[in-house]
Amino acid sequence: MKRTLLALACALAGTVLSAQNPIIRDQYTADPTARVFDGKVWLYASHDIISPVEPERRWFCMADYHCFSSEDLVHWTDHGVILDQKDVPWGNPEGYSMWAPDCVERGGKYYFYFPNAPREGRGFAVGVAVADRPDGPFTPQEKSIQGVFGIDPCCLLASDGNAYLYWSGMGFSGAKLKENMTELDGTPVRLDTPLPAGGLKEGPFVFEREGKYYLTYPWVQDRTESLVYAMADSPLGPFEYKGKIMEKSLSECWTNHHSFVEYQGQWYLFYHHNDFSPDFDKNRSVRIDKVRFNPDGTIEQVTPTYRGVGVTPASDRIQMDRYSGIYHVAAGIDFLDPARPFDGWFVRLGRPGTWVRYDEIDFGETSPEAVTFRYRAPENAEVSAPLSDEESLGTFLLPASEDWTEATLPVTGTATGLRNLKLLVLRGSADIDWVSFGPASAPSENVFADSSTHLEKYLVPAAGPSAVPDEEGFLRRWLLLEPISKPNRSNTVFTDSYLREVFSTPYFPGQLGSVLPKVGSRVKVKVEYQPPVDLSGGRPKFPQEPVVYEKKVKKLQWHAFDSRRYNVKLFRFATNLTEDRYGVIFWVATVVNCEEDIPDVRLSVGSNSASMWWVNGQEALLLSGDRRMVADDAASEPLTLRKGRNVIWGAVINGPGMSDFCARFIDKAGNPVRGITLTTE
Ligand code: FUB
């Protein structure tokens, strides 16, 4: 979650912050009050700092307020300082006590209520500053509000047409405000201290919903605050205690402080926690989670999450450490740099089988073609990206890297609209900072570099306009289509009739044609889905129970390779570039160019497992059954390689084993055919 430049930029007002929880990531923020003005959510919060005068002082320290706005609750704009302690006529200019604020709009004016230490005397007073816009400039009144002594003001614009002010100080008080919004209209009333008994109660936030008034507040229990609430039929009570909104945090951050807001039909709870400052709980950060109401108006308890709310565009850096779900004790989060907490966290997926899930990613209307991982891994790691039990964006090889690095890899599955994404480790382990999805461009080339340590041992991108067969006549230049999922738990089904049926299925345009697909082109192929095979035991384990396979469309790419060996290692090809490697069909093709007709030759093939071969559109060979790859396992009837181009197609099918093939042309005497060249177009 590295945002050093962004953090710098955010020192300026009007910058955009993109976030899950905590939502503001370049400064401490606390005591959030969220309001909706002009179709946007506006956040007014305390601004925790380390004391500039007494850095060792382990107490709250706040000199000013910022406000923030957002339309999607994900991207927040910091509007900068809206009020500074130096500018409050009645306040102590060095009091550092600008605690929990609130802001409401009435009659086109914005009223910002804030507690502060007065110039004279002790304790806290509450003031109001007025502006024409939600982001100020706010002009503070000359004097604090008469009759209000305490902290944490909250203003309610009730449906009875009145505005009410609430605050805490030796219990809760409330009072009607005058039309001018700056003075109390009458004597404050003490709100009956609702249960639970004992323990400090502060931070009252009162809101109205469906004719009920909710007094919600933090309540200290064992030195840590949980959020609780009471309900009433009128703004000033009597209130009846109802229960907990949020449990106290396990990390024992002393305070919590919150507000409720309804935005676009959904209610949200804004609250805070000391995410960026685990060792000092007076430096806090604002979070958001969704909140729901029961049919009787009571509040469903809220579980704090890292994921927070809002939809994250797939092209954003998706901070997987802000997860919706995580599996296994070997998975967890850590600061990227404990000395620089605002750089954020990464998620550690410490062994095969661990996973992390991030919900509500918006892939839009166009499925991504590439994914970039920011990660590090002690050895090569294999990470799959399922979207559900049936769908996946692919399996990705992350080459070993001790340092943080980025790898951009082609996506093999499809995703549009809103999806939840899991990253599941199949092999090795990885620390992941973020992932981001985008269009194809360079990634499909990068893949060779990224996976070179594995793939390059077996296959290298075709180099030069043509190749020649090796000394033994084996054809080593091939166009390979990424594997088509065709789930088979055993190779025993590969009978002639099964193979003919499977291989006569049209999968892609130009199949078996005389014009070969372009290198790098992609085809949309309808495939049967098989759930990821369990590799944890070293050998592939297929599900014991019958699995319902569903049809889905995948985008598969054509690659041109020169094989380093006489046999073409399809399994390695699949393992390095795609998610499917077992229970698959590989389509392969090459062009044999001859200077003149060469009669009486045979195509000689070996494959693991079954395969079928065509020369110039005619079936040449069918290798059925559960086969091992053996050179010259089967040879075609004699045929003529014509002067010019001869197009060779092959299809290899496999179940739970490795896959490869070798092919050459031999003459009557069984010697390799010479004088031919190989191309892929
Ligand atoms: O931020 C200072 C104080 O901590 C607030 O006013 C209280 O509600 C608590 O969150």
Side-chain angles (χ1 to χ4, degrees):
M1 203 176 65
K2 203 162 184 68
R3 300 190 315 108
T4 320
L5 282 178
L6 190 55
L8 260 180
C10 287
L12 306 165
T15 47
V16 174
L17 309 153
S18 165
Q20 299 88 48
N21 277 338
I23 60 167
I24 308 298
R25 297 182 166 187
D26 66 334
Q27 60 195 288
Y28 299 117
T29 50
D31 306 327
T33 299
R35 300 289 186 190
V36 177
F37 301 135
D38 286 336
K40 277 192 199 175
V41 177
W42 288 81
L43 167 64
Y44 299 88
S46 304
H47 181 196
D48 289 342
I49 53 172
I50 304 280
S51 169
V53 282
E54 290 177 89
E56 295 311 314
R57 188 162 178 240
R58 310 296 276 173
W59 189 241
F60 301 107
C61 184
M62 298 93 131
D64 60 25
Y65 297 101
H66 285 224
C67 82
F68 307 83
S69 70
S70 173
E71 282 177 77
D72 59 8
L73 303 177
V74 174
H75 302 93
W76 288 88
T77 301
D78 178 356
H79 296 275
V81 174
I82 55 166
L83 187 64
D84 191 290
Q85 61 181 1
K86 294 194 297 295
D87 301 324
V88 180
W90 55 266
N92 178 349
E94 293 190 348
Y96 295 100
S97 299
M98 309 286 271
W99 286 19
D102 190 5
C103 186
V104 294
E105 183 268 331
R106 201 179 198 196
K109 295 265 183 217
Y110 295 83
Y111 298 92
F112 182 74
Y113 299 91
F114 60 98
N116 193 11
R119 256 174 216 273
E120 283 147 25
R122 296 165 62 87
F124 279 85
V126 169
V128 56
V130 187
D132 293 325
R133 296 162 41 111
D135 55 348
F138 282 93
T139 308
Q141 301 285 291
E142 281 302 313
K143 296 205 162 123
S144 61
I145 304 175
Q146 296 308 296
V148 182
F149 301 98
I151 57 170
D152 301 346
C154 164
C155 184
L156 168 72
L157 298 177
S159 58
D160 64 6
N162 293 313
Y164 295 85
L165 191 71
Y166 305 84
W167 63 96
S168 86
M170 308 292 286
F172 298 139
S173 301
K176 215 184 270 181
L177 281 167
K178 286 188 181 166
E179 281 292 315
N180 63 16
M181 299 292 279
T182 61
E183 290 174 274
L184 298 189
D185 188 3
T187 316
V189 296
R190 302 287 295 175
L191 303 182
D192 348 309
T193 305
L195 291 170
L200 176 75
K201 300 179 185 78
E202 55 179 353
F205 183 83
V206 181
F207 67 97
E208 183 181 349
R209 179 182 173 272
E210 295 180 2
K212 295 282 179 201
Y213 295 87
Y214 295 76
L215 168 60
T216 64
Y217 51 98
W219 165 56
V220 180
Q221 200 189 357
D222 303 330
R223 293 194 42 76
T224 310
E225 285 178 339
S226 51
L227 300 178
V228 300
Y229 74 111
M231 289 170 71
D233 292 325
S234 60
L236 295 174
F239 286 95
E240 184 187 342
Y241 179 73
K242 291 292 179 185
K244 280 207 173 139
I245 301 164
M246 180 174 279
E247 266 302 349
K248 60 185 185 151
S249 70
L250 293 176
S251 62
E252 294 181 356
C253 175
W254 168 25
T255 65
N256 197 350
H257 186 118
H258 67 296
S259 61
F260 282 72
V261 72
E262 187 183 17
Y263 183 57
Q264 296 178 347
Q266 171 69 52
W267 282 87
Y268 296 96
L269 178 71
F270 282 64
Y271 60 103
H272 72 218
H273 188 64
N274 58 331
D275 292 88
F276 287 122
S277 173
D279 300 328
F280 178 45
D281 65 358
K282 312 296 180 295
N283 282 173
R284 301 151 297 175
S285 295
V286 170
R287 293 169 160 215
I288 322 175
D289 274 299
K290 284 184 188 163
V291 60
R292 293 178 191 81
F293 292 84
N294 298 309
D296 65 355
T298 53
I299 300 169
E300 269 186 31
Q301 198 163 316
V302 179
T303 305
T305 70
Y306 288 132
R307 172 61 184 88
V309 302
V311 167
T312 305
S315 56
D316 272 16
R317 291 181 171 183
I318 301 163
Q319 310 291 345
M320 296 305 292
D321 47 85
R322 309 290 86 196
Y323 55 74
S324 309
I326 196 163
Y327 172 68
H328 203 271
V329 287
I333 62 163
D334 242 321
F335 280 122
L336 286 164
D337 177 353
R340 300 163 53 91
F342 288 119
D343 282 357
W345 300 263
F346 66 89
V347 61
R348 170 164 293 129
L349 297 174
R351 47 157 287 180
T354 52
W355 56 256
V356 64
R357 197 188 75 244
Y358 189 104
D359 290 349
E360 294 199 273
I361 299 171
D362 187 3
F363 285 90
E365 289 175 6
T366 313
S367 188
E369 293 180 320
V371 57
T372 300
F373 283 80
R374 184 167 194 269
Y375 75 99
R376 65 183 177 197
E379 57 191 62
N380 289 349
E382 212 174 300
V383 176
S384 75
L387 296 161
S388 67
D389 286 348
E390 288 89 30
E391 293 163 287
S392 168
L393 285 176
T395 294
F396 305 96
L397 178 84
L398 304 180
S401 172
E402 274 182 30
D403 297 322
W404 288 102
T405 187
E406 289 177 24
T408 300
L409 305 167
V411 160
T412 52
T414 53
T416 52
L418 268 198
R419 304 307 304 261
N420 302 339
L421 174 78
K422 234 187 211 181
L423 295 181
L424 162 68
V425 173
L426 298 177
R427 188 157 57 94
S429 65
D431 293 344
I432 294 170
D433 184 7
W434 49 259
V435 294
S436 180
F437 293 88
S441 61
S444 48
E445 271 109 53
N446 290 351
V447 94
F448 301 119
D450 291 334
S451 57
S452 60
T453 49
H454 276 260
L455 195 59
E456 245 184 47
K457 282 198 225 153
Y458 308 100
L459 296 164
V460 289
S466 65
V468 289
D470 67 14
E471 276 188 10
E472 293 171 285
F474 287 104
L475 314 181
R476 297 200 187 185
R477 173 161 294 187
W478 290 92
L479 262 189
L480 306 178
L481 179 62
E482 291 171 355
I484 296 173
S485 174
K486 181 69 185 164
N488 277 304
R489 292 170 59 185
S490 141
N491 293 358
T492 53
V493 297
F494 298 150
T495 59
D496 286 20
S497 58
Y498 176 86
L499 295 174
R500 281 187 196 291
E501 191 200 322
V502 168
F503 292 144
S504 63
T505 304
Y507 289 101
F508 50 86
Q511 185 173 324
L512 297 181
S514 58
V515 178
L516 294 194
K518 285 252 171 301
V519 178
S521 65
R522 288 168 181 265
V523 286
K524 280 192 178 166
V525 179
K526 261 201 179 148
V527 298
E528 284 175 56
Y529 170 76
Q530 64 175 350
V533 176
D534 177 6
L535 297 171
S536 51
R539 288 178 60 79
K541 239 187 283 158
F542 282 75
Q544 290 306 305
E545 297 302 318
V547 175
V548 180
Y549 297 110
E550 286 184 42
K551 291 272 184 192
K552 70 171 179 176
V553 173
K554 267 194 158 185
K555 261 198 229 156
L556 303 178
Q557 189 171 357
W558 283 99
H559 300 264
F561 281 111
D562 288 332
S563 177
R564 285 194 185 275
R565 303 171 184 224
Y566 78 97
N567 55 335
V568 179
K569 296 276 202 180
L570 295 171
F571 181 83
R572 298 293 169 184
F573 163 68
T575 303
N576 279 267
L577 299 186
T578 73
E579 71 185 302
D580 295 318
R581 75 204 69 168
Y582 301 108
V584 289
I585 302 170
F586 295 93
W587 282 91
V588 306
T590 193
V591 174
V592 174
N593 303 282
C594 305
E595 300 216 342
E596 54 192 20
D597 282 359
I598 311 178
D600 270 342
V601 300
R602 294 167 193 264
L603 174 63
S604 177
V605 172
S607 69
N608 183 354
S609 180
S611 62
M612 192 162 181
W613 300 86
W614 297 261
V615 176
N616 292 328
Q618 299 298 311
E619 182 186 328
L621 267 176
L622 180 67
L623 280 70
S624 52
D626 182 9
R627 295 196 178 235
R628 291 268 165 149
M629 208 271 328
V630 179
D632 303 325
D633 194 13
S636 68
E637 291 296 314
L639 52 83
T640 297
L641 281 173
R642 299 186 306 228
K643 181 178 176 188
R645 291 173 75 252
N646 296 269
V647 176
I648 321 297
W649 280 92
V652 179
I653 188 166
N654 211 346
M658 304 289 247
S659 326
D660 60 347
F661 74 91
C662 63
R664 61 177 177 166
F665 282 97
I666 51 173
D667 63 17
K668 267 191 199 163
N671 295 320
V673 170
R674 305 268 171 220
I676 57 177
T677 60
L678 306 171
T679 54
T680 52
E681 53 185 34

